[in-house]
């Protein structure tokens, strides 16, 4: 009797249990007051943006001679930089050989079966694909970036040469790649045509991609994933092969011309708002532009997912080669934070074969009407556990990346996860939900960081705008001058400390590199021969092509199974070893690192924070925070450049020999190529390594100069603009107070305000000032102060009210009965419009009325939520009391 398997849906006990557990988790989060946090964060950002927009609107109307245009330009630049914070994303690199199931995996994680074409025998994803959230509309969008026309012409010449090679020069894998690219674009018979004949076909063959000729992106947009997947297939996947023959389809496949593709997926904010998933093919490519793009993506990866078929994961070297070679790009020169190994296709198993040396008791299988299904499930889970143990045992961190302590291992089945019925595995056993949770956690962490940085930046800008709207006393004016001088002196003292720190680092690098130069000169010829030129056990046509590919690639090639051969890295290895410790000490997270030195830098003394932190200094503090973040980001980028400079310098020195060797053909060409390379190393070693050392030290000097100059110029400008500008700007006091309160909560302590007497530095005169000494602006200061006192008392209430509404939204929808009375209050306060009021009134039940009302409440932000809470207290006091009683005591 056939088994029925599990069925997804409400009847599946595992699903209902999962939903129940998730529901309990959410209730616990609500009870702790954490469930509303994302909503409150967005509300605070919304309020901040409203304030910023008011300022921008006012700036558009200001012109000389009524304002300092330098100050206005400064404000505009700060606002532009603030908006760029929202685009900060984490790059997750997905690596794996062709056929490993990466596309199916990504489809399952993203919850769309047909997003990326997959499952076609003989076809594979052939270009770099990055997937991110579409935050503008509900369409599936692809942005296709092409290589240049000139780059393709060079590659086509190379492909035709590879195709025509014979004898010891011939490499079947390279020839097959050449055939597949030419046939994909020009048709089955194209391999017999010359370069000129192929070029003559392009005006017609490439007529559907005019963007290729104009060097622009091609944009595709569709409202369904199925249509989208069908249309993008020709840009990202090679043609399907059936029994060694190409399919009869006449469709042109443009992937050989594609540099990379960006896919924007709708309704994916929870997973991808701040994440970019990058599918990085593990195969080599003779196009230099694509290989350089591959390398650049690798160094940007904060997280790495290595994907392998579970049958090959522990035994086959491909996945481990990809992992090892990928990590090498992320060591000192990268920014990798974690590594995840994912075994796919776990459902693909033959229980009879698997259980040859085991019995039912070993796998805890019990007799049942669904025995064959339970047997297969038990085999899958047992193999999964064994695979995890073996992979963890095999893993090592050879490059000692301090941020990577251990590797997570997942055993997944995309096919089982996406089944609607006849399921062997429960959803949690497919481990796709765990991977989704991992991705969501990365997204949430980055979202929190983005929100934090945005609020800090917005608080600084709003502080500056807020303060220039207030008059100052004469004593405060004097205090500002003294404070300015004090801060400038502090700035120079701190810069001297940083400059000395960087000078000491330069001396240590110089010493280590000098030792590396001596070692390189001694060992370079032997190392190059053993590792690249003539390694033991490698010879003949296969290695001939590898060495030729190395020369054609200016010292580097990556094979079809992901293995790298890098002459430049081999020659620079002694230099890299020599600076390993000092590089780690300087650039990795530690108390003695350059980043730690930047973190500890400040021109603001603690007593300033406590006694004179009025909005002008609040602005300086946020400028310091942003400057530090920008500097640390720049340090990471320059760190990559510095580390790679050794290899790039060696490549430049070796370039003449690569060019000469790549032009050698015919019988005995392998030996001649080897001789050319070795001879060049011998003749150049006295200068090659010294040049590499000099280049790295030059970059280190430039980094020191950049840090000092950037700190000096940015903070001097910030002091000038914050301490010496007055300009009538719109009243953003309400926005300022809300963002200030959120900022205080994040930073863990309140910040003294502008009207506090503590704003006067203690070294200034503390004499009282008369009203005649205060330069009033339109006699509004007293009125502003009175309003402000009321606002200061209410800001925390607004945040608390909004948190209550978010926290109890579900209960309120079900239990509020005085809906129209609350709607009347909101309409009277102009919190909702007449049309919305009519829609609420037209709903037939209280629950439906509340759902309509909450549409306005959710989109209206903090103030309407606070107004709703006030109306709720008036009209439903018992309900409010009841809900408050359910909250834990703080």
């Amino acid at each position: 009797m056939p088994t029925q398997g599990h069925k997804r849906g409400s009847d599946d006990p595992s699903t209902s249990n999962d939903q129940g557990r998730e529901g309990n988790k959410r209730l616990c989060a609500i009870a702790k007051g954490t469930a509303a946090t994302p909503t409150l964060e967005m509300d605070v950002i919304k309020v901040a943006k409203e304030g910023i927009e008011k300022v921008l609107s006012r700036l558009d109307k200001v012109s000389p001679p009524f304002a300092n245009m330098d100050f206005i330009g400064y404000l505009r630049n700060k606002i532009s930089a603030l908006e760029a914070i929202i685009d900060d994303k984490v790059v997750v690199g997905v690596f794996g050989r062709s056929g490993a199931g990466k596309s199916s995996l990504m489809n399952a994680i993203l919850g769309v079966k047909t997003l990326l074409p997959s499952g076609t025998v003989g076809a594979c994803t052939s270009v770099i694909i990055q997937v991110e959230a579409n935050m503008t509309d509900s369409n599936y969008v692809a942005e296709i970036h092409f290589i240049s026309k000139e780059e393709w012409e060079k590659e086509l010449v190379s492909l035709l040469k590879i195709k025509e090679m014979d004898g010891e020069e011939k490499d079947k894998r390279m020839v097959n790649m050449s055939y597949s690219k030419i046939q994909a674009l020009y048709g089955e018979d194209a391999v017999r045509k010359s370069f000129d004949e192929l070029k003559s076909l392009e005006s017609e063959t490439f007529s559907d991609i005019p963007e290729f000729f104009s060097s622009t992106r091609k944009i595709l947009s569709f409202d369904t994933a199925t249509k989208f997947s069908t249309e993008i297939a020709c840009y990202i996947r090679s043609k399907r092969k059936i029994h060694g023959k190409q399919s009869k389809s006449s469709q042109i496949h443009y992937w050989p011309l594609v540099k990379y593709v960006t896919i924007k997926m709708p309704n994916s904010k929870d997973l991808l708002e701040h994440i970019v998933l990058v599918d990085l093919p593990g195969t080599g490519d003779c196009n230099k532009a694509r290989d350089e793009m591959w390398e650049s993506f690798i160094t940007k990866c904060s997280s790495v997912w290595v994907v392998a078929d579970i049958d090959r994961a522990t035994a086959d070297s491909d996945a481990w080669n990809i992992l090892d070679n990928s990590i090498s790009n992320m060591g000192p020169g990268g920014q990798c934070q974690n590594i995840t190994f994912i075994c796919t296709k776990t459902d693909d198993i033959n229980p009879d074969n698997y259980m040859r040396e085991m019995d039912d008791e070993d796998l805890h299988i019990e007799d049942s009407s669904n025995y064959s299904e339970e047997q297969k499930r038990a085999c899958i889970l047992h193999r999964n556990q064994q695979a995890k143990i073996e992979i963890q045992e095999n893993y090592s961190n050879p490059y000692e990346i301090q941020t990577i302590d251990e590797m997570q291992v997942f055993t997944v089945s995309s096919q089982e996860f996406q089944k609607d019925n006849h399921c062997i595995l429960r959803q949690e056993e497919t481990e796709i939900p765990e991977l989704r949770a991992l991705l969501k956690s990365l997204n949430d962490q980055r979202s929190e960081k983005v929100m934090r940085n945005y609020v800090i930046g917005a608080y600084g800008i709003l502080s500056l705008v807020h303060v220039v709207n207030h008059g100052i006393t004469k004593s405060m004016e004097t205090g500002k001058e003294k404070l300015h001088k004090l801060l400038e002196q502090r700035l120079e003292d701190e810069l001297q400390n940083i400059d000395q720190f960087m000078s000491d680092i330069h001396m240590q690098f110089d010493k280590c590199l000098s030792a590396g130069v001596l070692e390189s000169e001694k060992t370079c010829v032997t190392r190059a021969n053993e590792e690249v030129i003539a390694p033991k056990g490698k010879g003949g046509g296969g290695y001939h092509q590898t060495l030729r590919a190395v020369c054609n690639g200016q010292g580097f090639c990556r094979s079809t199974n992901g293995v790298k051969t890098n002459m430049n890295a081999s020659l620079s290895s002694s230099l890299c070893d020599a600076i390993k410790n000092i590089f780690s000490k300087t650039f990795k997270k530690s108390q003695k690192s350059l980043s730690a030195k930047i973190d500890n830098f400040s021109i603001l003394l603690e007593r300033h924070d406590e006694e004179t932190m009025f909005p002008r200094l609040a602005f300086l503090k946020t400028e310091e925070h942003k400057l530090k973040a920008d500097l640390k980001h720049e340090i990471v980028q320059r760190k990559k450049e510095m580390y790679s400079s050794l290899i790039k310098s060696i490549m430049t020195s070796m370039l003449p020999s690569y060019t000469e060797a790549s032009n050698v053909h015919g019988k005995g060409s392998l030996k001649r190529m080897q001789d050319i390379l070795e001879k060049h190393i011998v003749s150049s070693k006295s200068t090659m390594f010294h040049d590499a050392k000099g280049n790295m030290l030059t970059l280190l000097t430039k980094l020191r100069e950049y840090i000092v100059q950037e700190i000096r110029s940015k903070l001097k400008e910030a002091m000038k603009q914050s301490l010496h500008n007055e300009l009538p700007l719109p009243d953003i006091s309400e926005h300022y107070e809300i963002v200030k309160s959120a900022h205080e909560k994040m930073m863990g302590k309140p910040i003294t305000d502008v009207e506090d007497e503590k704003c006067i530095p203690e070294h200034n005169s503390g004499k009282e000032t008369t009203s005649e000494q205060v330069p009033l602006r339109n006699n509004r200061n007293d009125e502003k102060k009175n309003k402000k006192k009321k606002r200061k008392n209410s800001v925390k209430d607004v945040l608390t009210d909004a948190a209550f509404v978010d926290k109890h939204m579900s209960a309120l929808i079900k239990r509020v009965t005085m809906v129209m009375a609350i709607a009347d209050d909101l309409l009277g306060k102009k919190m909702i419009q007449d049309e919305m009021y009519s829609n609420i009134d037209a709903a037939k039940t209280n629950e439906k009325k509340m759902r309509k009302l909450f549409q306005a409440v959710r989109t209206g932000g903090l103030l309407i939520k606070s107004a709703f809470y006030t109306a709720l207290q008036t009209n439903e006091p018992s309900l409010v009391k009841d809900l408050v009683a359910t909250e834990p005591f703080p």
Side-chain angles (χ1 to χ4, degrees):
M1 184 174 180
T3 60
Q4 295 302 310
H6 294 287
K7 182 178 181 181
R8 303 286 185 231
S10 59
D11 295 333
D12 180 4
S14 67
T15 304
S16 60
N17 287 339
D18 285 345
Q19 291 170 346
R21 282 193 291 270
E22 287 301 313
N24 290 335
K25 286 180 183 178
R26 188 172 183 275
L27 289 173
C28 290
I30 290 173
K32 293 177 182 177
T34 58
T37 300
T39 307
L40 282 175
E41 289 172 359
M42 292 309 299
D43 283 342
V44 171
I45 288 179
K46 184 176 181 180
V47 169
K49 285 187 173 182
E50 288 174 355
I52 298 294
E53 286 170 4
K54 285 184 71 174
V55 175
L56 280 173
S57 177
R58 173 62 178 161
L59 293 181
D60 289 338
K61 300 174 184 177
V62 176
S63 59
F66 304 105
N68 181 344
M69 299 308 293
D70 179 51
F71 177 58
I72 290 176
Y74 182 78
L75 266 182
R76 286 189 184 280
N77 290 337
K78 290 297 168 189
I79 291 171
S80 297
L82 181 64
E83 291 305 311
I85 291 175
I86 302 295
D87 297 327
D88 188 26
K89 295 180 185 291
V90 172
V91 178
V92 178
V94 185
F95 298 82
R97 65 191 300 275
S98 299
K102 289 181 296 175
S103 296
S104 297
L105 173 68
M106 291 173 71
N107 287 344
I109 292 172
L110 298 174
V112 183
K113 291 183 180 180
T114 57
L115 180 67
L116 299 177
S118 63
T120 305
V121 177
C124 63
T125 304
S126 303
V127 302
I128 297 170
I129 300 173
Q130 57 179 31
V131 183
E132 55 191 58
N134 182 357
M135 302 294 290
T136 57
D137 58 40
S138 59
N139 281 357
Y140 295 87
V141 178
E143 296 177 355
I144 301 164
H145 300 254
F146 296 100
I147 61 175
S148 70
K149 184 180 176 182
E150 292 73 25
E151 286 169 336
W152 172 244
E153 287 180 355
K154 289 180 182 179
E155 183 174 358
L156 183 56
V157 170
S158 176
L159 292 173
L160 291 172
K161 284 183 179 179
I162 292 171
K163 179 178 69 68
E164 294 166 0
M165 287 178 178
D166 55 16
E168 67 176 10
E169 295 183 286
K170 188 170 183 178
D171 183 336
K172 288 184 178 180
R173 291 178 301 174
M174 296 293 288
V175 171
N176 288 339
M177 181 188 70
S178 173
Y179 272 59
S180 67
K181 287 190 174 186
I182 294 172
Q183 289 176 329
L185 289 168
Y186 302 103
E188 298 292 325
D189 298 332
V191 291
R192 302 184 187 88
K193 298 183 184 295
S194 66
F195 176 84
D196 291 334
E197 288 173 322
L198 293 176
K199 292 296 294 179
S200 68
L201 299 173
E202 289 184 358
S203 59
E204 181 179 351
T205 305
F206 299 170
S207 60
D208 288 338
I209 51 168
E211 298 86 355
F212 169 68
F213 295 104
S214 59
S215 299
T216 56
R217 296 173 300 166
K218 186 176 185 67
I219 309 295
L220 299 176
S221 180
F222 300 94
D223 58 359
T224 67
T226 302
K227 180 66 173 173
F228 175 82
S229 179
T230 301
E231 293 298 322
I232 67 166
C234 65
Y235 296 98
I236 65 176
R237 287 173 72 79
S238 60
K239 284 186 178 182
R240 179 184 182 185
K241 294 182 180 180
I242 303 175
H243 303 300
K245 295 182 179 180
Q246 295 283 15
S247 67
K248 294 181 181 179
S249 171
S250 60
Q251 182 184 20
I252 299 172
H253 285 245
Y254 296 111
W255 61 266
L257 303 176
V258 176
K259 196 171 186 179
Y260 69 97
V261 175
T262 298
I263 291 176
K264 297 187 177 182
M265 180 179 162
N267 307 316
S268 56
K269 180 179 178 180
D270 287 349
L271 288 179
L272 298 178
E273 181 180 9
H274 299 289
I275 298 287
V276 179
L277 272 177
V278 183
D279 182 349
L280 289 153
T283 58
D285 198 312
C286 65
N287 179 271
K288 191 170 185 294
R290 275 191 295 269
D291 255 338
E292 287 175 351
M293 182 62 62
W294 192 90
E295 295 283 351
S296 71
F297 270 115
I298 281 181
T299 56
K300 294 175 185 176
C301 290
S302 298
S303 184
V304 174
W305 291 4
V306 179
V307 181
D309 184 328
I310 192 167
D311 274 339
R312 307 170 66 93
T314 57
D316 189 24
S317 62
D318 283 1
W320 293 97
N321 284 331
I322 291 170
L323 175 61
D324 182 64
N325 287 307
S326 300
I327 294 176
S328 69
N329 283 277
M330 302 167 199
Q335 57 193 65
C336 180
Q337 300 294 313
N338 57 77
I339 294 175
T340 302
F341 200 108
I342 304 171
C343 302
T344 57
K345 306 180 183 180
T346 61
D347 58 288
D348 186 7
I349 193 170
N350 185 317
D352 293 333
N353 290 340
Y354 189 77
M355 293 186 65
R356 282 177 179 173
E357 298 180 3
M358 293 182 287
D359 54 36
D360 289 357
E361 291 183 2
D362 294 327
L363 300 184
H364 307 290
I365 304 172
E366 298 180 2
D367 289 332
S368 69
S369 59
N370 295 333
Y371 173 78
S372 62
E373 179 184 301
E374 290 301 321
Q375 181 194 42
K376 183 173 183 179
R377 175 175 172 271
C379 290
I380 291 171
L381 297 179
H382 184 271
R383 183 176 63 171
N384 289 353
Q385 186 61 32
Q386 293 301 307
K388 289 183 178 182
I389 293 171
E390 290 183 39
I391 290 169
Q392 289 286 12
E393 289 177 348
N394 290 342
Y395 170 70
S396 64
N397 185 356
Y399 299 94
E400 299 180 4
I401 304 174
Q402 293 180 351
T403 54
I404 304 172
D405 295 323
E406 65 178 72
M407 178 173 64
Q408 286 184 284
V409 181
F410 291 86
T411 49
V412 306
S413 171
S414 304
Q415 184 174 340
E416 280 290 309
F417 177 77
Q418 293 179 320
K419 281 184 180 179
D420 294 322
N421 47 48
H422 300 290
C423 305
I424 301 297
L425 299 175
R426 301 184 180 95
Q427 282 213 343
E428 70 271 18
E429 291 171 340
T430 69
E431 298 193 14
I432 294 293
E434 283 189 65
L435 268 177
R436 286 176 60 89
L438 176 64
L439 195 61
K440 186 177 186 303
S441 175
L442 288 172
N443 189 58
D444 290 345
Q445 290 171 21
R446 183 49 59 103
S447 180
E448 182 180 343
K449 179 182 177 182
V450 167
M451 189 281 297
R452 178 184 176 87
N453 288 339
Y454 189 91
V455 169
I456 290 172
Y459 172 64
I461 293 171
L462 294 178
S463 295
L464 185 58
V465 173
H466 179 68
V467 77
V468 297
N469 272 333
H470 292 76
I472 57 172
T473 65
K474 289 182 180 179
S475 62
M476 289 178 70
E477 185 66 49
T478 303
K480 283 199 304 178
E481 294 294 337
K482 291 183 178 179
L483 182 59
H484 195 168
K485 291 181 181 179
L486 176 63
L487 292 175
E488 285 193 322
Q489 183 59 52
R490 284 276 299 164
L491 174 61
E492 293 306 318
D493 290 344
E494 290 290 301
L495 285 176
Q496 187 174 354
N497 288 336
I498 289 179
D499 191 62
Q500 184 60 53
F501 178 81
M502 294 291 290
S503 295
D504 292 343
I505 289 174
H506 190 281
M507 290 177 61
Q508 294 177 61
F509 266 84
D510 192 345
K511 181 179 178 181
C512 294
L513 284 168
S514 295
V517 168
L518 292 176
E519 182 65 20
S520 297
E521 290 175 347
K522 292 177 185 177
T523 62
C524 61
V525 177
T526 301
R527 187 186 291 266
N529 274 309
E530 291 178 351
E531 296 180 2
V532 182
I533 297 176
K536 289 182 180 179
K538 294 183 179 180
Y543 194 71
H544 185 127
Q545 273 305 311
T546 298
L547 190 60
R548 182 172 298 282
V550 168
C551 295
N552 287 334
Q554 299 179 349
F556 169 84
C557 80
R558 187 159 45 93
S559 71
T560 53
N561 62 356
V563 177
K564 292 190 304 183
T565 304
N566 195 331
M567 172 75 88
N568 307 315
S570 179
L571 290 170
S572 64
S573 57
S574 292
L575 287 170
C576 292
D577 290 342
I579 62 165
K580 180 179 178 181
N581 291 333
I582 184 60
F583 202 93
S584 175
K585 176 183 174 183
T586 303
F587 294 110
K588 290 183 179 178
K589 292 182 180 179
S590 70
Q591 294 299 317
K592 297 181 180 181
S593 69
L594 179 55
S595 290
K597 191 70 175 177
I598 298 297
D599 276 331
N600 293 330
F601 168 89
S602 180
I603 62 172
L604 300 173
L605 296 169
E606 282 300 313
R607 63 190 180 92
H608 290 153
D609 291 351
E610 297 169 0
E611 299 179 11
T612 64
M613 183 55 78
F614 56 98
R616 296 178 193 273
L617 285 180
F619 171 72
L620 284 178
K621 192 172 184 70
T622 59
E623 281 301 287
E624 266 195 1
H625 176 88
K626 184 179 184 306
L627 178 59
K628 289 177 183 180
D630 290 344
L631 284 174
K632 288 191 287 186
H633 177 77
E634 184 67 22
I635 287 169
V636 170
Q637 304 311 310
R638 293 199 180 212
K639 174 195 76 169
K640 298 176 189 177
E641 183 184 5
M642 280 182 60
Y643 195 77
S644 64
S645 70
L646 295 176
I647 293 177
K648 288 182 178 178
S649 180
I650 297 297
M651 182 193 74
T652 301
S653 297
M654 290 292 296
L655 195 56
S657 67
Y658 295 145
T659 303
E660 183 182 356
S662 64
N663 290 322
V664 173
H665 298 285
K667 189 175 180 179
S669 56
L670 174 60
K671 181 66 169 61
R672 282 182 285 152
M673 290 168 64
Q674 292 170 330
D675 290 343
I676 289 169
L677 294 172
E678 182 177 344
K679 182 180 178 181
H680 185 85
I681 293 171
V682 171
S683 64
S684 303
K685 65 180 183 179
S686 60
T687 58
M688 178 164 55
F689 302 109
H690 281 282
D691 290 345
K693 168 192 169 182
N695 289 337
M696 176 171 273
L697 291 177
T698 297
L699 290 175
L700 189 60
T701 299
K702 287 182 178 179
L703 176 60
R704 180 182 69 178
E705 292 171 349
Y706 172 83
I707 291 173
V708 171
Q709 177 59 28
E710 195 73 358
I711 292 175
R712 178 179 281 117
S713 61
K714 289 290 175 65
L715 288 185
K716 278 197 169 187
E717 182 68 11
M719 284 188 276
K720 170 189 168 184
Q721 300 296 353
S722 64
L723 294 173
H724 299 288
N725 268 305
E726 306 295 330
L727 175 69
L729 289 171
D731 183 9
I732 44 84
S733 299
E734 197 167 75
H735 304 81
Y736 165 72
E737 292 292 346
I738 291 173
V739 175
K740 175 174 177 279
S741 181
H743 181 271
E744 288 174 357
K745 186 174 291 187
M746 284 192 313
M747 305 307 287
K749 63 179 181 179
I751 298 176
T752 308
D753 209 326
V754 63
E755 277 84 16
D756 281 85
E757 289 301 323
K758 292 179 182 178
C759 288
I760 303 173
E762 63 178 16
H763 54 272
N764 289 348
S765 171
K767 296 180 181 180
E768 293 185 3
T769 57
T770 65
S771 59
E772 287 78 11
Q773 292 175 300
V774 182
L776 299 179
R777 180 171 291 131
N778 298 328
N779 296 317
R780 293 185 301 162
N781 278 7
D782 290 338
E783 182 182 350
K784 285 185 177 181
K785 288 182 181 181
N786 292 331
K787 287 183 178 180
K788 183 177 177 181
K789 287 178 181 178
K790 294 179 181 178
R791 281 194 296 269
K792 285 181 71 177
N793 294 329
S794 66
V795 169
K796 290 184 179 179
D797 292 337
V798 170
L799 293 171
T800 303
D801 296 348
F804 178 91
V805 173
D806 288 328
K807 191 181 300 183
H808 298 294
M809 191 173 291
S810 297
L812 292 170
I813 288 173
K814 294 178 181 178
R815 297 175 62 180
V816 170
T817 58
M818 304 292 290
V819 185
M820 294 315 299
I822 294 173
D824 286 335
D825 287 352
L826 296 179
L827 182 65
K829 294 178 181 178
K830 297 183 179 180
M831 291 291 179
I832 60 174
Q833 303 299 319
D834 290 336
E835 184 180 355
M836 175 56 72
Y837 182 89
S838 298
N839 290 339
I840 296 168
D841 192 30
K844 294 182 179 180
T845 66
N846 283 330
E847 186 170 332
K848 290 181 179 179
K849 291 178 188 290
M850 279 297 296
R851 291 188 184 279
K852 292 287 186 183
L853 177 55
F854 263 121
Q855 289 179 9
V857 172
R858 275 196 297 265
T859 58
L862 292 171
L863 298 180
I864 188 173
K865 288 178 183 178
S866 181
F868 173 84
Y869 178 75
T870 301
L872 191 66
Q873 285 181 309
T874 302
N875 295 285
E876 297 270 10
S878 298
L879 176 57
V880 173
K881 185 176 181 181
D882 186 29
L883 292 175
V884 169
T886 65
E887 298 180 353
F889 188 77

